Amino acid sequence: SAVISQKPSRDICQRGTSLTIQCQVDSQVTMMFWYRQQPGQSLTLIATANQGSEATYESGFVIDKFPISRPNLTFSTLTVSNMSPEDSSIYLCSVDKNLNTEAFFGQGTRLTVV
Amino acid sequence: AQSVSQHNHHVILSEAASLELGCNYSYGGTVNLFWYVQYPGQHLQLLLKYFSGDPLVKGIKGFEAEFIKSKFSFNLRKPSVQWSDTAEYFCAVNRGYGGSQGNLIFGKGTKLSVKP
């Protein structure tokens, strides 16, 4: 298994500002993933972050809006930039320890933009 | 585009009732299928998964799911629910490339409320 810690657990932010969410894993993992869950919607993959390379973004998500860092095998950050109320969501970090096993999730960051 | 549909948004049951939550996916290739559960205030955790082999898979806490390839379905079942099963349940499908199970497509979730 993997224990994933996300910080902050929740935040209320002013529009136009940026928030950086941290994800710390208790063991080294190759792939880390960032998801978003908007109110009443399913979890949607934002990007995949591998250590030592640029993140791969899914359709509809861009690096300028959601820059991601992956400085080592146990840590990643997601920044939500120039926030608007539409960015109010739960953001989740996920890791995949090995091929053909399940993904593990953090508790999420509940973001409210006012 | 690939998608996952969960038929019920909110299910309310009494304890000891049987449960079946529907899940259909749209993808013609090889898939791996998952059910995740999120108890109130907790993180998502895996209930069960199907990769290959016996299409009837058993998970934790008495849950099981059946993969029916011809129907593109992976319904979750439990013969007798308990109050502690109150949670939100998510069906998910992997994207089927690279071997990683992290690239998941999720359904919108089904909230289960079990009345004591």
Side-chain angles (χ1 to χ4, degrees), chain A residues 51-63:
Chain A
Q51 193 266 337
S53 62
E54 279 197 8
T56 302
Y57 288 82
E58 298 298 314
S59 175
F61 298 96
V62 294
I63 188 171

PDB file of all heavy atoms in Angstrom, chain A residues 51-63:
ATOM      1  N   GLN A  51       8.834  11.652 -12.289  1.00  0.00           N
ATOM      2  CA  GLN A  51      10.020  12.324 -11.800  1.00  0.00           C
ATOM      3  C   GLN A  51      11.029  12.493 -12.927  1.00  0.00           C
ATOM      4  O   GLN A  51      11.280  11.554 -13.678  1.00  0.00           O
ATOM      5  CB  GLN A  51      10.639  11.538 -10.644  1.00  0.00           C
ATOM      6  CG  GLN A  51      11.692  12.310  -9.858  1.00  0.00           C
ATOM      7  CD  GLN A  51      13.115  12.051 -10.352  1.00  0.00           C
ATOM      8  OE1 GLN A  51      13.376  11.035 -10.954  1.00  0.00           O
ATOM      9  NE2 GLN A  51      14.008  12.970 -10.079  1.00  0.00           N
ATOM     10  N   GLY A  52      11.535  13.702 -13.066  1.00  0.00           N
ATOM     11  CA  GLY A  52      12.579  13.963 -14.050  1.00  0.00           C
ATOM     12  C   GLY A  52      12.075  14.338 -15.418  1.00  0.00           C
ATOM     13  O   GLY A  52      12.871  14.525 -16.339  1.00  0.00           O
ATOM     14  N   SER A  53      10.770  14.451 -15.573  1.00  0.00           N
ATOM     15  CA  SER A  53      10.241  14.872 -16.871  1.00  0.00           C
ATOM     16  C   SER A  53       9.045  15.780 -16.660  1.00  0.00           C
ATOM     17  O   SER A  53       8.494  15.857 -15.567  1.00  0.00           O
ATOM     18  CB  SER A  53       9.854  13.660 -17.714  1.00  0.00           C
ATOM     19  OG  SER A  53       8.829  12.930 -17.073  1.00  0.00           O
ATOM     20  N   GLU A  54       8.661  16.460 -17.719  1.00  0.00           N
ATOM     21  CA  GLU A  54       7.507  17.357 -17.613  1.00  0.00           C
ATOM     22  C   GLU A  54       6.229  16.538 -17.465  1.00  0.00           C
ATOM     23  O   GLU A  54       6.106  15.442 -18.016  1.00  0.00           O
ATOM     24  CB  GLU A  54       7.416  18.224 -18.868  1.00  0.00           C
ATOM     25  CG  GLU A  54       8.358  19.404 -18.828  1.00  0.00           C
ATOM     26  CD  GLU A  54       7.972  20.470 -19.848  1.00  0.00           C
ATOM     27  OE1 GLU A  54       6.890  20.349 -20.458  1.00  0.00           O
ATOM     28  OE2 GLU A  54       8.757  21.391 -20.032  1.00  0.00           O
ATOM     29  N   ALA A  55       5.289  17.101 -16.767  1.00  0.00           N
ATOM     30  CA  ALA A  55       4.012  16.429 -16.594  1.00  0.00           C
ATOM     31  C   ALA A  55       3.270  16.323 -17.922  1.00  0.00           C
ATOM     32  O   ALA A  55       3.444  17.162 -18.811  1.00  0.00           O
ATOM     33  CB  ALA A  55       3.159  17.186 -15.578  1.00  0.00           C
ATOM     34  N   THR A  56       2.474  15.288 -18.035  1.00  0.00           N
ATOM     35  CA  THR A  56       1.638  15.090 -19.221  1.00  0.00           C
ATOM     36  C   THR A  56       0.214  15.467 -18.873  1.00  0.00           C
ATOM     37  O   THR A  56      -0.383  14.862 -17.973  1.00  0.00           O
ATOM     38  CB  THR A  56       1.688  13.616 -19.665  1.00  0.00           C
ATOM     39  OG1 THR A  56       3.037  13.248 -19.924  1.00  0.00           O
ATOM     40  CG2 THR A  56       0.845  13.422 -20.921  1.00  0.00           C
ATOM     41  N   TYR A  57      -0.325  16.453 -19.574  1.00  0.00           N
ATOM     42  CA  TYR A  57      -1.636  16.989 -19.257  1.00  0.00           C
ATOM     43  C   TYR A  57      -2.714  16.351 -20.126  1.00  0.00           C
ATOM     44  O   TYR A  57      -2.499  16.074 -21.311  1.00  0.00           O
ATOM     45  CB  TYR A  57      -1.650  18.504 -19.438  1.00  0.00           C
ATOM     46  CG  TYR A  57      -0.859  19.214 -18.360  1.00  0.00           C
ATOM     47  CD1 TYR A  57       0.529  19.324 -18.452  1.00  0.00           C
ATOM     48  CD2 TYR A  57      -1.491  19.725 -17.232  1.00  0.00           C
ATOM     49  CE1 TYR A  57       1.266  19.933 -17.444  1.00  0.00           C
ATOM     50  CE2 TYR A  57      -0.768  20.342 -16.224  1.00  0.00           C
ATOM     51  CZ  TYR A  57       0.614  20.439 -16.334  1.00  0.00           C
ATOM     52  OH  TYR A  57       1.337  21.035 -15.333  1.00  0.00           O
ATOM     53  N   GLU A  58      -3.874  16.182 -19.535  1.00  0.00           N
ATOM     54  CA  GLU A  58      -5.031  15.658 -20.265  1.00  0.00           C
ATOM     55  C   GLU A  58      -5.691  16.796 -21.034  1.00  0.00           C
ATOM     56  O   GLU A  58      -5.467  17.991 -20.756  1.00  0.00           O
ATOM     57  CB  GLU A  58      -6.016  15.028 -19.287  1.00  0.00           C
ATOM     58  CG  GLU A  58      -5.439  13.843 -18.530  1.00  0.00           C
ATOM     59  CD  GLU A  58      -5.035  12.707 -19.446  1.00  0.00           C
ATOM     60  OE1 GLU A  58      -5.834  12.351 -20.343  1.00  0.00           O
ATOM     61  OE2 GLU A  58      -3.930  12.157 -19.265  1.00  0.00           O
ATOM     62  N   SER A  59      -6.517  16.399 -21.959  1.00  0.00           N
ATOM     63  CA  SER A  59      -7.222  17.383 -22.767  1.00  0.00           C
ATOM     64  C   SER A  59      -8.050  18.297 -21.877  1.00  0.00           C
ATOM     65  O   SER A  59      -8.765  17.841 -20.981  1.00  0.00           O
ATOM     66  CB  SER A  59      -8.142  16.642 -23.758  1.00  0.00           C
ATOM     67  OG  SER A  59      -8.924  17.560 -24.476  1.00  0.00           O
ATOM     68  N   GLY A  60      -7.918  19.583 -22.118  1.00  0.00           N
ATOM     69  CA  GLY A  60      -8.669  20.560 -21.344  1.00  0.00           C
ATOM     70  C   GLY A  60      -7.896  21.156 -20.181  1.00  0.00           C
ATOM     71  O   GLY A  60      -8.383  22.069 -19.520  1.00  0.00           O
ATOM     72  N   PHE A  61      -6.712  20.640 -19.932  1.00  0.00           N
ATOM     73  CA  PHE A  61      -5.867  21.146 -18.841  1.00  0.00           C
ATOM     74  C   PHE A  61      -4.521  21.581 -19.429  1.00  0.00           C
ATOM     75  O   PHE A  61      -3.947  20.882 -20.258  1.00  0.00           O
ATOM     76  CB  PHE A  61      -5.653  20.071 -17.775  1.00  0.00           C
ATOM     77  CG  PHE A  61      -6.921  19.622 -17.105  1.00  0.00           C
ATOM     78  CD1 PHE A  61      -7.580  18.485 -17.549  1.00  0.00           C
ATOM     79  CD2 PHE A  61      -7.458  20.340 -16.058  1.00  0.00           C
ATOM     80  CE1 PHE A  61      -8.756  18.070 -16.952  1.00  0.00           C
ATOM     81  CE2 PHE A  61      -8.633  19.922 -15.441  1.00  0.00           C
ATOM     82  CZ  PHE A  61      -9.284  18.784 -15.893  1.00  0.00           C
ATOM     83  N   VAL A  62      -4.031  22.744 -18.970  1.00  0.00           N
ATOM     84  CA  VAL A  62      -2.783  23.276 -19.513  1.00  0.00           C
ATOM     85  C   VAL A  62      -1.817  23.603 -18.393  1.00  0.00           C
ATOM     86  O   VAL A  62      -2.222  23.926 -17.267  1.00  0.00           O
ATOM     87  CB  VAL A  62      -3.037  24.520 -20.388  1.00  0.00           C
ATOM     88  CG1 VAL A  62      -3.836  24.138 -21.632  1.00  0.00           C
ATOM     89  CG2 VAL A  62      -3.741  25.613 -19.602  1.00  0.00           C
ATOM     90  N   ILE A  63      -0.554  23.608 -18.759  1.00  0.00           N
ATOM     91  CA  ILE A  63       0.505  23.814 -17.773  1.00  0.00           C
ATOM     92  C   ILE A  63       0.462  25.195 -17.152  1.00  0.00           C
ATOM     93  O   ILE A  63       0.770  25.366 -15.971  1.00  0.00           O
ATOM     94  CB  ILE A  63       1.886  23.507 -18.399  1.00  0.00           C
ATOM     95  CG1 ILE A  63       2.986  23.528 -17.345  1.00  0.00           C
ATOM     96  CG2 ILE A  63       2.190  24.496 -19.513  1.00  0.00           C
ATOM     97  CD1 ILE A  63       4.327  23.027 -17.861  1.00  0.00           C
TER      98      ILE A  63
END
